[in-house]
């Protein structure tokens, strides 16, 4: 049983071990949807919501799997949970905000293959977090993902106006930017002590 | 539409270079950056992914008439997850050290978009042999990309290659390269290099075209 305090777990997932910038999880939406701020924000929030739901479900599923001694089914059942959670978010978004639904397009169903979410479920299992700890961890991870994608979108919106060599436009420049952001986030490593 | 079952060299070669999953299509980036801090990890990850890609392509292709359209994505994911579980236990049995170094990223092969992408756009539409040839090419391309990153990062960040020291004691390792930012920087540099090469080739082709046109005009 992990004994870390709740505030440390939250800060750890948010800044020190940011899912995108130090663990390299969820890079596809991070690079794909970070072109504009007004799609980046809902993407971050949708991902956070899916993270919260799937983390909660994954915790209970894991209890069941351990009870019946069938841990080898963990991966398959986690994926099934995440796919259903994404479906749920997708349906509610289609109902409440169709314009947003269209703006996110293909990236919404692709949240299923966002490794940050499966990664979160696996990490909380490996670290043997309790229910409360898992929830705080997933909140921190969601906030961290949103923070990273927001920073990236803000930077890229400004860079649209800058004149850069045509070779470095697109993916190469986004990666360099991500590298710089990641370098900055390494500065938080000291907080953990 | 009639299916084209001819297996050509391109079926295999496309994945290696022209449609390289990492450098051209930018798919499956997470493991590419996360586990390439040493060459050994890069090779292991490349082989594991290739195995999953190959076996899931075969199975998806064999079952392509049996899987109903509506539930195809879910079925593909279950197939992929099964093979990933096999690989996970295999690596654990072969080398515990490697298993610990790769960590959760073996299990995260499930959500590698490249594998699902191949199942959806290729394996579900062709015969098993052709799907496997393509999967082998894609897996090879993925492994090459991992190696490109792994070697550069290990040599610069550690001064070693596959664990052997290259430069002697006087070498000051460029530590940032094995840390997360280095992954972004090295991949960014590779992409820059390839973009530059592509532009260079295009310019040369245009110049040649203009020259021949001028020659014909005279």
């Amino acid at each position: 049983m992990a004994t870390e305090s709740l505030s440390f777990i939250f800060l750890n997932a948010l800044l020190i071990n940011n899912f995108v910038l130090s663990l390299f999880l969820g890079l596809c939406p991070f690079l794909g949807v970070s072109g504009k701020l007004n799609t980046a924000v809902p993407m971050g929030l949708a991902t956070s919501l899916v993270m919260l739901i799937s983390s909660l479900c994954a915790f209970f599923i894991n209890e069941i799997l351990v009870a019946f001694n069938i841990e080898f089914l963990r991966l398959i059942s986690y994926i099934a949970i995440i796919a259903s959670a994404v479906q749920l978010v997708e349906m509610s978004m289609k109902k409440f905000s169709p314009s947003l639904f269209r703006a996110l397009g293909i990236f919404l169903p692709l949240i299923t293959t966002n490794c940050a979410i499966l990664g979160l479920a696996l990490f909380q299992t490996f670290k043997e977090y309790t229910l409360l700890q898992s929830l705080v961890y997933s909140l921190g991870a969601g906030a961290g993902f949103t923070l990273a994608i927001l920073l990236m979108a803000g930077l890229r919106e400004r860079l649209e106006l800058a004149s850069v060599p045509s070779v470095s436009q697109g993916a190469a420049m986004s990666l360099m930017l991500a590298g710089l952001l990641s370098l900055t986030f390494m500065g938080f490593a000291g907080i953990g002590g | 539409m009639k299916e084209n079952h001819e297996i050509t060299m391109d079926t295999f070669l496309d994945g290696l270079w022209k449609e390289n999953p990492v450098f051209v299509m930018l798919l499956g980036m997470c493991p590419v950056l996360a586990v390439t801090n040493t060459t050994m990890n890069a090779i292991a990850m490349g082989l594991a992914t290739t195995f999953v890609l190959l076996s899931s392509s075969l199975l998806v292709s064999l079952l392509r008439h049996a899987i109903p359209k509506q539930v195809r994505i879910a079925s593909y994911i279950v197939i992929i997850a099964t093979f990933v579980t096999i690989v996970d236990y295999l690596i654990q049995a072969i080398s515990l050290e490697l298993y610990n170094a790769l960590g959760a990223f073996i299990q995260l092969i499930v959500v590698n978009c490249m594998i699902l992408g191949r199942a959806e756009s290729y394996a579900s539409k062709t015969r098993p042999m052709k799907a496997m040839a393509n999967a082998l090419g894609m897996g090879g391309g993925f492994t090459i990309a991992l190696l490109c990153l792994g070697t550069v990062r290990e040599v610069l960040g550690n001064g070693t290659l596959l664990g052997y020291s290259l430069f002697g004691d006087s070498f000051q390792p460029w530590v940032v390269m094995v840390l997360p930012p280095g992954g972004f920087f090295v991949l960014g540099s590779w992409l820059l290099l390839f973009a530059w090469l592509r532009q260079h080739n295009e310019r040369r082709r245009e110049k040649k075209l203009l020259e021949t046109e001028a020659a014909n005009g005279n």
Side-chain angles (χ1 to χ4, degrees):
Chain A
M1 195 71 67
T3 52
E4 296 148 48
S5 74
L6 293 180
S7 55
F8 174 74
I9 292 175
F10 184 77
L11 269 184
N12 186 26
L14 176 66
L15 297 174
I16 307 167
N17 282 316
N18 186 287
F19 267 53
V20 180
L21 295 169
S22 21
L23 298 178
F24 300 114
L25 294 169
L27 284 178
C28 301
F30 176 65
L31 295 174
V33 203
S34 61
K36 282 206 188 85
L37 265 174
N38 51 3
T39 48
V41 179
M43 186 65 193
L45 293 180
T47 309
S48 310
L49 188 60
V50 175
M51 273 180 171
L52 195 65
I53 300 172
S54 51
S55 153
L56 190 67
C57 301
F59 181 82
F60 289 112
I61 290 282
N62 190 47
E63 294 286 296
I64 298 173
L65 291 182
V66 170
F68 287 101
N69 219 352
I70 42 174
E71 283 106 333
F72 60 88
L73 286 178
R74 189 183 284 149
L75 202 54
I76 297 178
S77 35
Y78 279 10
I79 274 286
I81 297 168
I82 292 169
S84 355
V86 170
Q87 195 73 46
L88 202 71
V89 170
E90 199 182 335
M91 282 186 322
S92 48
M93 201 179 258
K94 200 173 180 179
K95 176 127 174 59
F96 293 120
S97 161
S99 59
L100 207 63
F101 178 76
R102 273 194 298 277
L104 288 175
I106 179 70
F107 283 99
L108 204 54
L110 276 184
I111 297 181
T112 315
T113 51
N114 183 338
C115 29
I117 295 168
L118 183 64
L120 173 82
L122 289 173
F123 284 142
Q124 75 176 29
T125 315
F126 293 153
K127 292 183 177 178
E128 297 181 352
Y129 280 161
T130 60
L131 181 59
L132 195 57
Q133 280 172 323
S134 304
L135 283 181
V136 172
Y137 190 52
S138 71
L139 278 178
F145 181 83
T146 314
L147 178 67
I149 201 168
L150 272 185
L151 284 173
M152 189 70 177
L155 285 172
R156 278 179 65 178
E157 265 192 356
R158 300 221 163 177
L159 271 174
E160 293 249 299
L161 302 172
S163 73
V164 287
S166 59
V167 202
S168 61
Q169 263 162 7
M173 196 170 64
S174 309
L175 279 169
M176 289 297 179
L177 271 182
L180 289 177
L181 275 180
S182 168
L183 211 54
T184 323
F185 269 69
M186 268 178 62
F188 291 119
I191 297 180
Chain B
M1 202 178 81
K2 202 170 177 317
E3 292 176 2
N4 177 14
H5 291 308
E6 219 173 313
I7 303 177
T8 56
M9 213 45 203
D10 278 351
T11 320
F12 172 67
L13 286 180
D14 268 359
L16 286 185
W17 176 248
K18 213 168 70 198
E19 289 179 18
N20 187 301
V22 178
F23 290 137
V24 180
M25 301 204 291
L26 296 176
L27 288 177
M29 306 277 275
C30 310
V32 171
L33 291 167
V35 298
T36 50
N37 44 9
T38 68
T39 317
M40 197 57 221
N41 289 354
I43 295 174
M45 191 65 195
L47 291 183
T49 310
T50 310
F51 170 78
V52 174
L53 187 59
L54 200 62
S55 18
S56 63
S57 284
L58 177 65
L59 203 60
V60 166
S61 178
L62 284 174
L63 293 175
R64 70 185 187 280
H65 296 305
I67 298 176
K69 267 263 170 307
Q70 295 84 353
V71 293
R72 63 183 197 288
I73 301 283
S75 334
Y76 300 156
I77 288 187
V78 171
I79 290 173
I80 295 168
T82 313
F83 286 112
V84 171
T85 310
I86 294 174
V87 167
D88 188 54
Y89 280 90
L90 258 181
I91 294 185
Q92 206 170 354
I94 294 170
S95 160
L96 205 57
E97 196 186 341
L98 198 62
Y99 182 76
N100 289 333
L102 293 178
F105 278 94
I106 305 172
Q107 306 204 354
L108 285 175
I109 296 178
V110 181
V111 282
N112 190 327
C113 5
M114 175 187 75
I115 299 179
L116 191 63
R118 279 294 103 185
E120 161 78 5
S121 69
Y122 207 94
S124 61
K125 294 190 181 110
T126 48
R127 282 197 179 152
M129 283 312 286
K130 195 177 176 188
M132 277 178 75
N134 185 267
L136 210 57
M138 281 288 162
F142 187 72
T143 312
I144 289 173
L146 282 173
L147 271 177
C148 282
L149 263 93
T151 41
V152 171
R153 286 180 72 187
E154 193 184 340
V155 167
L156 292 180
N158 240 346
T160 56
L161 189 61
L162 283 170
Y164 298 104
S165 178
L166 283 183
F167 304 112
D169 294 333
S170 58
F171 179 72
Q172 277 291 326
W174 203 359
V175 181
V176 73
M177 281 302 162
V178 284
L179 295 175
F184 286 116
F185 287 137
V186 175
L187 184 58
S189 317
W190 278 109
L191 288 179
L192 268 184
L193 181 70
F194 288 134
W196 180 78
L197 274 179
R198 216 171 298 142
Q199 216 174 48
H200 188 74
N201 281 345
E202 245 160 56
R203 275 214 195 111
R204 223 169 41 189
R205 208 177 305 139
E206 264 169 33
K207 213 169 151 194
K208 226 178 227 167
L209 212 69
L210 280 179
E211 272 168 14
T212 46
E213 264 174 21
N216 290 343
N218 290 335

